[in-house]
Amino acid sequence: MSWILTTDLSFFLSFLLALHNCSVDSSRKIHLSLCVLYWIIMVPTLLILVGALTTLQADLLLNKNFSLLPPVNFTIKAIGLAQVLLHWHPNPDQEQRNIDLQYYVKISAPQEDEYYTRKTESKYVIPLHEGFEASVRTTLRSSHSPLASSWVSAELKAPPGSSGTSVINLTCTTNTVMSSHTNLRPYQVSLRCTWLVGKDAPEDTQYFLYYRFGVWTEECKEYSRDALNRNTACWFPRTFINSKGFEQLAVHINGSSKHAAIKPFDQLFTPHVIDQVNPPMNVTVETEETSLYIQWEKPVSAFPGHCFNYELKICNTKNGYLQVERLSTNKFISKIDAVSPYSIQVRAAVSSSCRMSGSWGEWSQPIYVGKEKKPLAEWCLIVLPATICFILLIFSLVCRMCHLWTKLFPPVPAPKSTIKDLIVETEYEKASSNETRIEVVTCVEEAGFEVMGNSVF
Ligand SMILES: *[C@@H]1O[C@H](CO)[C@@H](O)[C@H](O)[C@H]1NC(C)=O
Ligand SMILES: *[C@@H]1O[C@H](CO)[C@@H](O)[C@H](O)[C@H]1NC(C)=O
Ligand SMILES: *[C@@H]1O[C@H](CO)[C@@H](O)[C@H](O)[C@H]1NC(C)=O
């Protein structure tokens, strides 16, 4: 090693010498261009030399039996829902020698990850229901160096309970609502989560939901329950969640039962992914001959107006023609034909200029303009059942009348009807308790009525 160093140095010195000559004779043209050439060679050579010297430093350290010692007292502590603190101390016996130390952290469970840090502690956010395992070792800050200490490891045990007792299919959504306390923040974020009971959870299981956003943790107070009175949904009318934030939302559901340990369940959610954007407000539509003037206001949201994209849907309900517009303004003028009815709806999404763009929100309530206020299908749904009901009513009235008629004007005896009446009476007596038979009677009576009608009128 030192031999390489000496050759390198002598090479370097001869260059310096040549350079010195250069600057002295620079009055001559040929020499000047030669000097430029020297410089071009010099700069990279110098850089290489500096690099070589740095690696040599590390190599020298190796030569002299230098070693890095692992950190001591490495601990992992759960400091919040789905959040741990890794903490260690530098090894007190570590030689210092003006070297730059750093730590290499490797997470092995529940999911592999690795990173470098110069600090002696670090926070890590991850679901903890499967436990957590990590190792750390001391390394040199200069990259490429293979020098590293041995590993020290620590773990956080998985909480008790079989995995079948945990909740499954947890989904959460957030929604921005106007604050009722105007002196505080003007907007609040509500949170709604639903889940299914684990297949191995005993009948007396009760689940409890908590969320953490940043440093805030809250327990659910408004649950919905299943038939066995087990909590299966939760609603927070207001939370500490900031819909503009980039932090992850941690949701933790644990439980209790007399018959088994209920394994908790953690899930992380990205706020912009689960945020349901409200529909635009105050949608107004004005028609003027063959033009539609459509306007709306931004949805209830903590984001300012310029942060929204809109999608406008204009549907010709007569021929089913659909016009869809993507807009970043909050008004639109559309040409229409004056004889068709239209329905108009708008929805919003936060644009990528203000946060990671999420999905489209809910459509606004449809606004109908034009001739018919309601599309044909809706009319059918209302008118058809109404007509059927009316006909049935008339029919039953007629039947009642028929009873009345038979009582008021007893039928004129005719051979045909007497026979029928006779059958009716015997049938009636035979099955006075049987309802289906009674129905048969009514039908026969109707026939009798017809006969009577024919004979009387
Ligand atoms: C490591 O922990 C032990 C025992 O808890 C303690 O005596 C020691 O001082 C700690 N070492 C350092 C460097 O903090
Ligand atoms: C629950 O989730 C699983 C897998 O994600 C899916 O197959 C199943 O259909 C879901 N169950 C219900 C009732 O939604
Ligand atoms: C559920 O978790 C919360 C928050 O960590 C804790 O305070 C509570 O004691 C736990 N309940 C059960 C039944 O484990």
Side-chain angles (χ1 to χ4, degrees):
M1 288 292 176
S2 47
W3 177 79
I4 299 173
L5 183 65
T6 23
T7 25
D8 274 2
L9 274 179
S10 55
F11 196 55
F12 176 59
L13 282 175
S14 61
F15 262 112
L16 274 185
L17 214 65
L19 185 73
H20 179 72
N21 290 344
C22 249
S23 43
V24 172
D25 297 344
S26 57
S27 49
R28 288 187 217 165
K29 263 192 184 166
I30 301 170
H31 272 88
L32 192 71
S33 53
L34 215 64
C35 279
V36 172
L37 196 69
Y38 269 126
W39 271 111
I40 288 171
I41 299 168
M42 270 303 289
V43 174
T45 317
L46 265 174
L47 286 177
I48 291 167
L49 268 173
V50 170
L53 280 172
T54 332
T55 34
L56 266 171
Q57 185 201 2
D59 287 347
L60 286 174
L61 288 172
L62 258 181
N63 280 355
K64 292 188 183 168
N65 280 335
F66 176 84
S67 62
L68 288 174
L69 299 175
V72 295
N73 296 6
F74 176 38
T75 55
I76 299 174
K77 206 167 83 184
I79 53 165
L81 303 180
Q83 189 180 37
V84 286
L85 180 72
L86 314 180
H87 185 80
W88 59 89
H89 287 287
N91 196 305
D93 301 328
Q94 178 67 56
E95 281 181 81
Q96 290 309 312
R97 280 208 206 189
N98 269 346
I99 44 166
D100 228 354
L101 292 182
Q102 69 176 355
Y103 303 96
Y104 180 36
V105 182
K106 201 158 128 183
I107 316 285
S108 43
Q111 230 173 62
E112 291 194 358
D113 191 14
E114 51 187 38
Y115 56 94
Y116 288 95
T117 176
R118 298 184 74 184
K119 298 186 187 143
T120 55
E121 63 176 30
S122 80
K123 280 183 189 170
Y124 201 81
V125 173
I126 196 158
L128 297 174
H129 57 262
E130 303 291 357
F132 184 83
E133 272 176 58
S135 311
V136 60
R137 68 179 182 180
T138 316
T139 66
L140 285 179
R141 213 169 118 68
S142 73
S143 42
H144 316 306
S145 165
L147 211 60
S149 75
S150 57
W151 292 102
V152 283
S153 303
E155 71 168 330
L156 212 62
K157 286 234 154 41
S162 84
S163 56
T165 58
S166 290
V167 299
I168 53 167
N169 297 38
L170 172 64
T171 57
C172 293
T173 53
T174 58
N175 181 238
T176 302
V177 288
M178 280 282 199
S179 172
S180 46
H181 315 280
T182 41
N183 52 330
L184 295 169
R185 289 182 293 173
Y187 299 106
Q188 296 169 342
V189 174
S190 67
L191 172 68
R192 188 182 164 75
C193 294
T194 61
W195 59 89
L196 297 175
V197 172
K199 65 178 189 335
D200 300 335
E203 288 197 350
D204 73 331
T205 303
Q206 192 51 283
Y207 291 115
F208 307 99
L209 182 142
Y210 301 78
Y211 83 86
R212 180 183 62 78
F213 188 76
V215 296
W216 291 286
T217 299
E218 276 192 301
E219 180 183 356
C220 181
K221 294 192 184 73
E222 293 182 34
Y223 290 106
S224 307
R225 300 189 168 87
D226 69 3
L228 291 170
N229 216 27
R230 300 176 292 192
N231 296 336
T232 54
C234 163
W235 158 249
F236 289 92
R238 65 188 73 88
T239 62
F240 289 100
I241 300 166
N242 177 359
S243 54
K244 289 169 151 181
F246 292 97
E247 265 177 281
Q248 289 202 296
L249 167 72
V251 174
H252 174 83
I253 302 184
N254 56 20
S256 66
S257 157
K258 285 201 187 95
H259 310 292
I262 305 301
K263 195 181 174 80
F265 180 77
D266 290 340
Q267 192 166 335
L268 296 172
F269 295 92
T270 312
H272 78 262
V273 173
I274 60 163
D275 188 31
Q276 276 189 337
V277 180
N278 289 306
M281 282 194 300
N282 300 336
V283 184
T284 56
V285 183
E286 282 168 38
T287 44
E288 206 171 275
E289 291 179 356
T290 58
S291 295
L292 271 184
Y293 295 89
I294 309 161
Q295 276 194 49
W296 57 89
E297 288 166 24
K298 84 169 181 86
V300 170
S301 166
F303 286 100
H306 70 85
C307 286
F308 290 94
N309 288 328
Y310 299 101
E311 196 169 65
L312 175 66
K313 193 164 75 174
I314 304 170
C315 180
N316 182 329
T317 52
K318 197 164 126 194
N319 59 14
Y321 178 75
L322 188 66
Q323 182 188 358
V324 177
E325 301 286 344
R326 288 274 170 94
L327 306 156
S328 51
T329 56
N330 58 351
K331 59 178 73 165
F332 189 74
I333 302 172
S334 178
K335 286 275 165 248
I336 53 165
D337 79 68
V339 294
S340 292
Y342 289 87
S343 82
I344 293 110
Q345 282 177 288
V346 200
R347 63 179 180 175
V350 179
S351 74
S352 52
S353 59
C354 295
R355 76 164 177 202
M356 300 264 275
S357 52
S359 47
W360 287 105
E362 298 262 303
W363 286 106
S364 61
Q365 288 296 315
I367 293 184
Y368 298 102
V369 292
K371 282 266 159 61
E372 296 167 68
K373 288 285 182 236
K374 287 198 186 289
L376 198 67
E378 278 185 41
W379 271 114
C380 286
L381 280 180
I382 297 167
V383 172
L384 205 70
T387 321
I388 292 171
C389 281
F390 188 71
I391 291 171
L392 284 176
L393 194 76
I394 296 287
F395 205 71
S396 69
L397 274 178
V398 166
C399 281
R400 273 166 188 262
M401 291 272 282
C402 116
H403 276 277
L404 214 62
W405 276 113
T406 32
K407 278 184 190 145
L408 282 178
F409 311 98
V412 180
K416 254 185 170 179
S417 58
T418 340
I419 295 162
K420 288 228 165 170
D421 278 354
L422 221 68
I423 299 165
V424 168
E425 263 179 40
T426 41
E427 291 256 298
Y428 193 83
E429 277 163 14
K430 250 161 65 185
S432 52
S433 64
N434 195 327
E435 279 189 358
T436 40
R437 291 300 173 95
I438 290 163
E439 266 182 35
V440 171
V441 170
T442 335
C443 284
V444 177
E445 264 187 4
E446 263 171 44
F449 176 68
E450 259 177 46
V451 173
M452 177 196 77
N454 283 343
S455 49
V456 170
F457 303 106

